[in-house]
Amino acid sequence: MNVLDGVAIFAAGIAAGGINTIVGSGSLITFPTLVALGYPPVVANVSNNIGLVPGSITGAYGYRKELKGQRERLLRLGSASFLGAIVGGLLLLGLPEEAFKVIVPALIGVALVLVVVQPRLQAWLLARRENHHPNGGPWLWVGVLAAGMYGGYFGAAQGIVLIALLGIALDDDLQRVNAAKNVLSGVVNGSAALLFITMSIISDTRIDWPAVLLIAAGATVGGVLGAKVGRRIPPMVLRGVIVVVGVVAIVNLLR
């Protein structure tokens, strides 16, 4: 890794940490950056996942006021995120790399659609707010489990998926929903990261630690910035950047 590559990875980590805190889908910045710099897709995905964990922590901390009163809810849903992340991570490590190269472009495509339709999705969620179970009920737990599997396997736009699920099932303010999303995304990333690190010790799972450290440093800064000033960034600008980077990632993976 040369200096320019290191700067690019660090900058991508800042962007991803901020975007994950505000919207979700920050992996559509860091993962394509690593792939463009020549990292094998699975190595890039594993290293990216581990590197984004500190950004999830700082992002959740930045929303600590909105997290008050959500402990029981997050403990319940966090169990689903944990189980889903482990299953998704095992699928990533167990399936051949050729399968990852086929599956991930499709997942990125779905993620880009979610990024584009998010404003209308949020409006729809707000319009159908009625009396809901305080913790979402069993269907939300199953949905969060599925989102955790998605996040453990790849994870781009898992935050948007979670906002959609939580917004439909919970009768709560959207900022509190976003705060819960940050915690659950952090549980998924952290659980998958522990799995990947464990497997790297007992098997031949590859992790590029210099890339992990650069993404972690950038994502930590980005998580703080996202919680403080991210709401001032025009959402359309964020979506535009994410869509462009995502399309480039799909093109690179399909070559």
Side-chain angles (χ1 to χ4, degrees):
M1 181 192 300
N2 58 43
V3 174
L4 288 178
D5 288 354
V7 170
I9 294 171
F10 177 70
I14 294 175
I19 290 170
N20 276 340
T21 301
I22 305 162
V23 182
S25 70
S27 287
L28 289 180
I29 302 295
T30 42
F31 175 75
T33 299
L34 293 176
V35 171
L37 293 175
Y39 290 83
V42 173
V43 175
N45 187 47
V46 169
S47 303
N48 172 63
N49 183 290
I50 298 172
L52 288 178
V53 172
S56 299
I57 295 172
T58 55
Y61 180 76
Y63 274 83
R64 60 192 179 278
K65 290 182 180 178
E66 289 85 355
L67 289 172
K68 290 182 179 179
Q70 298 199 65
R71 180 177 179 179
E72 181 182 348
R73 172 187 295 169
L74 292 174
L75 286 173
R76 174 186 173 87
L77 297 178
S79 65
S81 291
F82 171 76
L83 291 174
I86 297 301
V87 173
L90 290 173
L91 287 173
L92 173 68
L93 299 177
L95 294 174
E97 186 167 334
E98 290 73 20
F100 183 83
K101 292 179 179 179
V102 173
I103 294 170
V104 166
L107 293 179
I108 293 177
V110 172
L112 293 181
V113 171
L114 289 171
V115 169
V116 171
V117 304
Q118 189 193 21
R120 293 190 178 184
L121 180 62
Q122 286 183 340
W124 177 73
L125 297 178
L126 290 171
R128 71 185 304 271
R129 288 276 170 83
E130 296 175 359
N131 294 325
H132 293 163
H133 189 286
N135 294 321
W139 287 110
L140 178 59
W141 194 93
V142 173
V144 171
L145 175 71
M149 292 174 62
Y150 172 79
Y153 187 83
F154 180 54
Q158 70 160 318
I160 295 174
V161 174
L162 283 170
I163 285 179
L165 292 169
L166 296 172
I168 291 170
L170 301 175
D171 183 16
D172 211 338
D173 178 76
L174 200 57
Q175 289 299 333
R176 284 171 55 81
V177 168
N178 192 46
K181 175 268 293 182
N182 287 336
V183 172
L184 296 177
S185 295
V187 171
V188 172
N189 288 342
S191 301
L194 288 175
L195 172 65
F196 297 149
I197 293 170
T198 300
M199 294 305 292
S200 74
I201 295 173
I202 64 177
S203 68
D204 58 353
T205 300
R206 288 181 56 198
I207 299 172
D208 192 284
W209 286 107
V212 169
L213 294 176
L214 286 169
I215 292 174
T220 300
V221 174
V224 173
L225 294 176
K228 287 188 175 181
V229 302
R231 298 184 184 92
R232 301 176 187 174
I233 301 174
M236 189 63 69
V237 174
L238 280 176
R239 290 188 191 91
V241 171
I242 292 169
V243 169
V244 170
V245 173
V247 170
V248 171
I250 291 174
V251 171
N252 284 335
L253 286 169
L254 292 179
R255 282 181 182 178

